[in-house]
Amino acid sequence: MQAQESTGQKKHEKQRRKPDKRVRRTHERLGSALIELIQEKPIDDVTVQEVLDRASVGRSTFYLHFRDKNDLLLSQLENFLEMMSTALSIRKEESHRVVPVAELFAHIGNQKKIYRALADAGRLNDFFDLAQGYFSRGIEQRLRESKGLAKLPQRELAARAVALAGSLLSLLRWWLDRGAKEPPGDMDKLFHRIVWNGLQYASTTTFSFPTKRPGH
């Protein structure tokens, strides 16, 4: 009886996972189609129908998952940022790195057309605003995983993560605006020197944050 229940449960779980895989494949096809198209023409000139034709996906299926073309673009950016900002924690990398800077810079450096497309469409600031939140959370997680920073107050850790995410994105802008001349590995080392030179000082010095008074 238990074996039958176990088999039935596994079958049910397998069936339940299938739609997730189908949805993921549909999202990937649509996302890939959009990314291809915005490298061929301005984002604002790309139509939903062109995306559907390139991805071989029906219109009703598209609108089941996305409101419009901009919603699809946002989902692609979020997927990329989620993957990059959590990569080190997910794979439990034992290193001093808080962000996979080399991988991030290499990927974006190889996708200059997409970067330029976002800039030309006036959406680059939206990308960096989105990235600030993702990398702040990812860096905070990596700092919490670092045994050497266990004594830092939580609020200070969070504040430093936000500041470091801002530094990362400023460094990325600087690198791209100068033509991405430096090797991504060198930029990784530079960023983490910035991180740990500041945090070594932080390990011996803490800052008191003012508490919010009632009514303010």
Side-chain angles (χ1 to χ4, degrees):
M1 182 68 175
Q2 286 183 337
Q4 290 179 342
E5 289 178 353
S6 177
T7 302
Q9 184 177 3
K10 288 180 180 179
K11 184 177 180 181
H12 175 69
E13 290 176 354
K14 186 176 181 181
Q15 289 174 340
R16 190 174 56 190
R17 285 196 297 269
K18 280 184 178 179
D20 294 335
K21 292 179 180 178
R22 286 198 296 269
V23 167
R24 190 161 58 247
R25 284 196 295 269
T26 299
H27 284 199
E28 288 171 356
R29 289 209 306 273
L30 289 168
S32 296
L34 178 62
I35 295 302
E36 288 174 8
L37 285 164
I38 66 177
Q39 294 181 80
E40 299 170 7
K41 56 166 55 176
I43 294 175
D44 292 335
D45 292 345
V46 175
T47 66
V48 169
Q49 189 58 53
E50 288 175 318
V51 174
L52 299 180
D53 292 342
R54 183 72 61 97
S56 298
V57 172
R59 181 171 289 270
S60 59
T61 300
F62 177 88
Y63 285 110
L64 184 63
H65 302 289
F66 303 104
R67 292 189 301 275
D68 51 29
K69 171 189 64 182
N70 293 326
D71 193 25
L72 172 60
L73 177 60
L74 178 63
S75 77
Q76 292 303 297
L77 296 178
E78 288 183 327
N79 289 342
F80 171 69
L81 292 170
E82 175 72 17
M83 177 185 69
M84 280 294 177
S85 63
T86 61
L88 300 181
S89 292
I90 288 175
R91 68 181 182 231
K92 301 185 187 307
E93 179 176 308
E94 294 183 1
S95 73
H96 71 290
R97 298 199 303 166
V98 296
V99 179
V101 178
E103 296 91 323
L104 173 67
F105 279 45
H107 183 88
I108 294 180
N110 289 330
Q111 302 291 334
K112 291 190 183 74
K113 284 186 177 180
I114 298 175
Y115 181 83
R116 180 49 50 196
L118 292 172
D120 291 344
R123 304 187 189 191
L124 203 52
N125 286 336
D126 294 338
F127 169 74
F128 279 103
D129 287 345
L130 197 62
Q132 174 72 37
Y134 276 93
F135 284 113
S136 294
R137 292 188 292 272
I139 291 172
E140 183 178 349
Q141 177 63 30
R142 284 292 285 178
L143 294 181
R144 279 202 302 267
E145 293 167 359
S146 175
K147 296 178 181 178
L149 298 175
K151 295 181 180 179
L152 277 183
Q154 177 57 38
R155 290 182 68 192
E156 183 176 334
L157 203 64
R160 288 182 178 275
V162 170
L164 290 172
S167 297
L168 169 68
L169 297 173
S170 294
L171 196 61
L172 176 60
R173 279 183 184 267
W174 175 85
W175 184 70
L176 289 168
D177 290 345
R178 293 181 73 257
K181 298 174 183 177
E182 295 78 9
D186 289 354
M187 300 306 295
D188 196 310
K189 293 175 184 175
L190 172 59
F191 175 71
H192 285 98
R193 283 200 299 273
I194 294 171
V195 171
W196 292 109
N197 285 346
L199 287 172
Q200 283 174 358
Y201 175 73
S203 65
T204 59
T205 306
T206 57
F207 301 88
S208 58
F209 288 81
T211 56
K212 190 175 182 180
R213 288 180 296 168
H216 289 76

